[in-house]
Amino acid sequence: MPQIITEQNLRNLIDLLVKESKVVVGPKQADSVVLYQPLAAGSELTLDSLPRRSAKELFFPICEKILSYQRQDGKMQVTDVDRSRFPETVLIGAPPCDAASPAILDAVFSWDYNDEFYLERRRKSTIVGIACTKGDDACFCTAVGLAPNAEAGSDLFLTPLKDGSYACKAVTEKGKALVDAHAGLFGEAASVDAAPFAEQGTEKLDLVKIKKWLEGHFEDPLWEKISDICVGCGSCAFICPACHCFDINDEGSTEQGSRRKHWDACGFSKFTNHASGHNPRDVQNKRYRNRIMHKFKYYDDKFGKTLCTGCGRCVRACPVGIDIAEILSTINAKQD
């Protein structure tokens, strides 16, 4: 028989996890917007809106210290960050477009070098995903191979039911352990009647065809047409669940300071600027071309994954109205 949890017990689960000294993160109303934030109680959970920013910040912070240094007795002392102090974390209420992104990013953060800052947070995190019943014109997860009820990336997956409760499926051992540890909050149902999933207008894209077109059109008038309006603000990258460019800087003086990792974006004019002054992506069309190439060709070449979950945040955030789903549909419709 399928397991279910009522909405009240879902909120009770958050209360129990907080009492267990776990960090619980979920969609929370923050003034006029909904953001992923630590929850102090189950009553703070908001499940009717997609958070403004993605959940990748939980594993890949906007800025983080990776070491500190200080001169002592004429010698420079370097202190590493104690990653063992990263807290056990439960992400609750992530829609499929956000739940899927960490599994996509795992590849690049454990490729030729294991980024232990990212990986330690992943090891200590459990993701409770939830099927999406509400979308808008910017959503296009189905176009890139996901779906409003996709379980990819979730440890425990919840499906909203018409009676207001949720069907539960333990997708991984982490999800099973979470349910087993709080079994009293979960019940069984003879049958389940799921609420309607979110509908999307963008047609399913042929990602193989798109990649093939990209391989043969590094130089194409399309890039200049798009870049005529792109202002290179980086909003699309910073709000994306899958973009992961970063820079590393030393901040401080010759006596003390820290080394920090900061988000970066390939759309910024200085992103590829060399120390010599040469910039191989010196104009915006080259930079936007790289954004599309990276998401739908380069990452797939390297890791066999598409670097986009179709959340639509970049469409909503773009100050000049660039629609990546529209661009992909244009490429998808081309014959060569």
Side-chain angles (χ1 to χ4, degrees), residues 13 70 103 160 250 264 286:
L13 174 63
Q70 183 173 10
D250 289 338
D264 207 341
K286 296 179 182 179

Side-chain angles (χ1 to χ4, degrees), residues 211 214-215 218 281 286 289-305 307:
K211 180 182 175 183
L214 293 174
E215 288 171 345
F218 189 77
R281 298 187 203 134
K286 296 179 182 179
R289 175 183 63 195
N290 183 74
R291 175 172 174 77
I292 300 296
M293 288 282 190
H294 188 197
K295 287 184 170 297
F296 299 96
K297 182 185 183 308
Y298 302 151
Y299 206 81
D300 184 55
D301 285 344
K302 194 74 181 178
F303 303 117
K305 298 176 182 289
L307 197 63

Side-chain angles (χ1 to χ4, degrees), residues 81-146:
V81 171
D82 184 2
R83 296 185 298 273
S84 68
R85 299 181 66 180
F86 289 176
E88 294 283 342
T89 302
V90 180
L91 171 62
I92 289 185
C97 57
D98 282 340
S101 65
I104 295 171
L105 294 177
D106 287 348
V108 72
F109 284 111
S110 60
W111 167 44
D112 59 342
Y113 176 80
N114 286 335
D115 186 324
E116 289 298 334
F117 292 85
Y118 172 89
L119 295 175
E120 183 68 8
R121 290 188 176 94
R122 282 286 280 138
R123 283 190 284 265
K124 289 186 173 180
S125 298
T126 300
I127 299 176
V128 180
I130 184 168
C132 190
T133 59
K134 183 179 179 181
D136 62 21
D137 291 342
C139 295
F140 64 102
C141 70
T142 54
V144 293
L146 286 174

Side-chain angles (χ1 to χ4, degrees), residues 65 72 110 185 192-193 300 330 336:
K65 182 168 69 176
Q72 294 180 342
S110 60
L185 296 177
V192 295
D193 190 5
D300 184 55
T330 298
D336 60 339

Side-chain angles (χ1 to χ4, degrees), residues 197-258:
F197 300 128
E199 295 184 2
Q200 298 181 22
T202 304
E203 76 277 12
K204 185 171 176 59
L205 300 169
D206 186 340
L207 298 179
V208 174
K209 180 183 177 182
I210 289 173
K211 180 182 175 183
K212 184 177 180 181
W213 186 90
L214 293 174
E215 288 171 345
H217 292 81
F218 189 77
E219 300 290 347
D220 193 274
L222 176 65
W223 308 125
E224 290 188 18
K225 181 179 179 181
I226 299 168
S227 67
D228 280 346
I229 60 172
C230 178
V231 295
C233 66
S235 293
C236 53
F238 276 35
I239 213 162
C240 173
C243 283
H244 53 269
C245 294
F246 64 88
D247 198 3
I248 294 177
N249 303 102
D250 289 338
E251 301 176 356
S253 67
T254 56
E255 298 301 313
Q256 63 180 6
S258 60

Side-chain angles (χ1 to χ4, degrees), residues 31 66 91 149 188 191:
D31 295 326
I66 57 178
L91 171 62
N149 61 337
E188 293 185 343
S191 62

Side-chain angles (χ1 to χ4, degrees), residues 299-336:
Y299 206 81
D300 184 55
D301 285 344
K302 194 74 181 178
F303 303 117
K305 298 176 182 289
T306 299
L307 197 63
C308 175
T309 65
C311 70
R313 286 186 176 90
C314 60
V315 180
R316 300 181 195 95
C318 182
V320 294
I322 294 177
D323 187 331
I324 191 172
E326 183 178 314
I327 293 168
L328 294 172
S329 293
T330 298
I331 296 174
N332 194 62
K334 291 180 178 292
Q335 298 303 312
D336 60 339

